Amino acid sequence: MDNQTSETSRLLIVDDQPHNLGILFDFLTQSGFKIFVALDGESAIKRAEVTKPDLIILDIMMPGIDGFEACKRLKENPSTQDIPIVFMTALSDTVDKVQGFNLGAVDYITKPIHQEEVLIRIQTHLRLHNLQNQLQKKTEELAHLNQNLEEIVQARTQQLIEQEKTALIGRLTQGIVHNLRNRIQLILSYKCLATGEMTGEDISQKMTLAYVDKMAEAAWDMSKILDNLMHKSIMDHSLELTPLNINEILNKELDFWQANLQFKHQVKKCYFWDDTIPSIPLVYTEISQIFDNLISNALDAMWGNPKQKLTIITRQDEENVYIDVQDTGCGIAPENLAKIFDPFYTTKPFKGEEKQENQPTGTGLGIYTCTQILKGFGGEIKVTSEINKGSIFTVRIPKKNSQRNES
Ligand SMILES: Nc1ncnc2c1ncn2[C@@H]1O[C@H](COP(=O)(O)OP(=O)(O)O)[C@@H](O)[C@H]1O
Ligand SMILES: [Mg+2]
């Protein structure tokens, strides 16, 4: 490396004494360096700017600006500030060496020159400087890699959050399809009853009308389900802040959950709405996603549990609206309470993993997503839970001053 350093390195020597300059020039050229020279401080600065040497040997005692001043200016100039500077002094000079180091010099050599020593010092500083540059480059590369990695993780997390949303919609859709199919089946059955196909008897007009009423009722139900679906799909595509009524959104979401078999047949429902809660500017799809997540978690927690009760309460104080989603499910052990907010923490099997029939699957992104969304509104989720008794998830949404409202 030393050879290579000598061959390729370029040095600027600054000294007002031509004799000394000549000695240095000769032996350093012989040692393989490319040498530039300057006879005073001012021209040294100019030469350094133009030639960009790898190292500067700078005499301190010079007419005009002295070495210290030249060093100061070189260090102030962005295009020369990184070049290592070695000061040169005569043994008889009484200079303040500390001042030189404070100005950014890396070393001192003394005149008369001891050639071997000077060579070793120069090579050492060139090597040091080289290593420093490499280190700097590696640090920059690492920072860049780190940034890339962070971007990849963020993109992947976003992808998973989208997947979580799709999974929730899939779950709701299954229920909706089931509900629609049920009603179609109902209509077909009433049609058979109304026409007497089923019994082979003559049906009184009164009975026929009663069956037609039932058919109409089922058709209305279907129409309502489809209206809701349409509303949700339109609202889910809007990312605008709109004044929204929390109770209304909850009611709509719960309508959807009606189609879920567990929700419909096994869960006792208790809802308490504070009807005086004002509308708050929110993004529909985000808020509905939070409710969907909490409701689906509550159902999951109560899955296979004989005592299933879901209580949803909306309440408020001066500044905030609160939504409590309370279940009588498996609960969360105290040591796991903090973990449920971490992305990817799940106690459920992943999709495609081995599981019991109908056992709910998880991604571990539900609560994390909710927390991220709520951060945007200046809100939060709190949880209290008792193992085998159940949990209460409380969502707090500020009525005003949410970060988004202000912006
Ligand atoms: N209501 C609840 N009752 C009991 N445990 C819950 C409840 N909600 C969430 N958890 C726990 O928190 C974990 C993370 O929830 P979440 O972030 O929604 O991910 P996922 O539902 O995909 O597992 C769940 O796996 C579960 O262990
Ligand atoms: Mg979940």
Side-chain angles (χ1 to χ4, degrees):
M1 181 185 164
D2 287 349
N3 276 342
Q4 201 193 2
T5 311
S6 312
E7 276 164 26
T8 51
S9 295
R10 304 146 84 232
L11 310 181
L12 171 62
I13 308 168
V14 189
D15 197 336
D16 60 316
Q17 296 164 351
H19 171 68
N20 195 44
L21 207 56
I23 297 174
L24 271 170
F25 183 92
D26 286 346
F27 107 84
L28 287 174
T29 308
Q30 273 163 26
S31 306
F33 293 102
K34 172 144 182 59
I35 307 295
F36 306 103
V37 294
L39 289 165
D40 59 72
E42 294 279 6
S43 51
I45 292 166
K46 284 190 195 118
R47 287 230 86 179
E49 254 182 343
V50 177
T51 57
K52 300 272 159 44
D54 298 303
L55 185 139
I56 300 172
I57 299 173
L58 185 57
D59 190 24
I60 293 176
M61 299 299 198
M62 287 185 295
I65 62 167
D66 67 2
F68 286 148
E69 180 58 26
C71 174
K72 194 165 152 260
R73 293 198 200 168
L74 285 164
K75 291 293 168 194
E76 279 166 2
N77 182 342
S79 72
T80 53
Q81 67 187 175
D82 288 332
I83 305 170
I85 294 177
V86 174
F87 276 131
M88 195 159 46
T89 57
L91 260 182
S92 54
D93 291 346
T94 49
V95 295
D96 181 1
K97 289 194 173 176
V98 176
Q99 188 190 349
F101 284 120
N102 282 342
L103 285 171
V106 291
D107 208 351
Y108 275 87
I109 54 179
T110 41
K111 294 189 273 191
I113 296 298
H114 186 294
Q115 299 192 351
E116 279 300 304
E117 184 194 324
V118 168
L119 191 62
I120 286 171
R121 281 182 194 261
I122 289 174
Q123 282 168 341
T124 303
H125 287 298
L126 284 172
R127 200 184 302 129
L128 256 176
H129 189 64
N130 210 348
L131 286 174
Q132 250 171 18
N133 282 346
Q134 281 177 24
L135 196 70
Q136 170 91 14
K137 238 165 113 185
K138 288 273 172 236
T139 312
E140 277 163 18
E141 270 172 32
L142 265 176
H144 188 68
L145 279 177
N146 203 16
Q147 171 78 16
N148 278 354
L149 204 66
E150 221 148 76
E151 277 165 17
I152 291 171
V153 168
Q154 261 180 14
R156 182 75 187 123
T157 307
Q158 198 52 42
Q159 243 177 14
L160 286 165
I161 287 173
E162 286 302 318
Q163 272 174 26
E164 159 89 12
K165 202 166 153 182
T166 317
L168 269 176
I169 291 170
R171 199 162 154 179
L172 285 175
T173 313
Q174 271 174 10
I176 290 163
V177 168
H178 176 85
N179 249 0
L180 291 176
R181 200 180 279 143
N182 265 353
R183 281 172 177 78
I184 292 171
Q185 209 53 54
L186 215 63
I187 292 174
L188 292 175
S189 304
Y190 282 126
K191 181 239 167 200
C192 292
L193 283 170
T195 54
E197 275 170 51
M198 206 97 119
T199 52
E201 292 167 11
D202 275 347
I203 308 290
S204 70
Q205 198 183 1
K206 196 174 155 202
M207 282 304 281
T208 307
L209 283 177
Y211 290 138
V212 170
D213 267 355
K214 291 277 182 204
M215 288 160 74
E217 203 178 296
W220 273 117
D221 271 1
M222 286 169 68
S223 164
K224 192 180 159 204
I225 292 169
L226 291 174
D227 279 351
N228 274 350
L229 192 63
M230 186 61 102
H231 177 81
K232 186 173 171 64
S233 98
I234 292 169
M235 292 306 272
D236 269 354
H237 280 99
S238 152
L239 291 174
E240 273 174 33
L241 280 176
T242 331
L244 294 173
N245 181 318
I246 300 275
N247 294 334
E248 248 173 48
I249 304 178
L250 266 168
N251 269 319
K252 280 235 154 43
E253 287 308 315
L254 289 166
D255 263 356
F256 278 109
W257 284 101
Q258 284 301 341
N260 176 289
L261 293 184
Q262 182 192 354
F263 186 89
K264 191 170 175 178
H265 298 301
Q266 285 148 20
V267 179
K268 183 170 179 248
K269 286 139 255 190
C270 299
Y271 306 141
F272 302 97
W273 304 152
D274 176 346
D275 291 326
T276 63
I277 289 175
S279 290
I280 306 174
L282 296 167
V283 178
Y284 185 96
T285 173
E286 294 182 343
I287 289 305
S288 70
Q289 197 178 351
I290 292 173
F291 295 156
D292 276 343
N293 265 314
L294 296 185
I295 294 168
S296 74
N297 277 349
L299 291 183
D300 293 350
M302 297 190 288
W303 180 77
N305 183 333
K307 277 190 355 199
Q308 305 194 354
K309 183 174 161 194
L310 175 72
T311 310
I312 301 182
I313 301 167
T314 59
R315 56 196 169 86
Q316 61 180 321
D317 60 22
E318 202 121 301
E319 273 118 38
N320 299 290
V321 170
Y322 301 89
I323 303 102
D324 302 309
V325 178
Q326 182 174 359
D327 65 66
T328 53
C330 58
I332 303 161
E335 66 268 24
N336 293 334
L337 263 187
K339 292 186 200 158
I340 66 168
F341 293 93
D342 294 340
F344 308 114
Y345 174 80
T346 182
T347 51
K348 302 165 196 172
F350 286 108
K351 208 173 171 185
E353 243 177 22
E354 199 177 312
K355 62 178 182 99
Q356 295 172 45
E357 202 184 346
N358 293 333
Q359 188 183 1
T361 56
T363 58
L365 283 166
I367 295 174
Y368 174 75
T369 311
C370 295
T371 318
Q372 294 301 103
I373 293 172
L374 280 164
K375 256 192 210 160
F377 294 117
E380 62 176 351
I381 294 188
K382 284 204 165 139
V383 52
T384 54
S385 189
E386 202 175 327
I387 205 107
N388 291 329
K389 284 246 167 95
S391 317
I392 307 175
F393 281 77
T394 300
V395 176
R396 179 180 66 79
I397 303 175
K399 291 180 183 171
K400 284 201 197 104
N401 298 328
S402 79
Q403 292 154 25
R404 290 240 199 116
N405 291 350
E406 280 171 343
S407 65

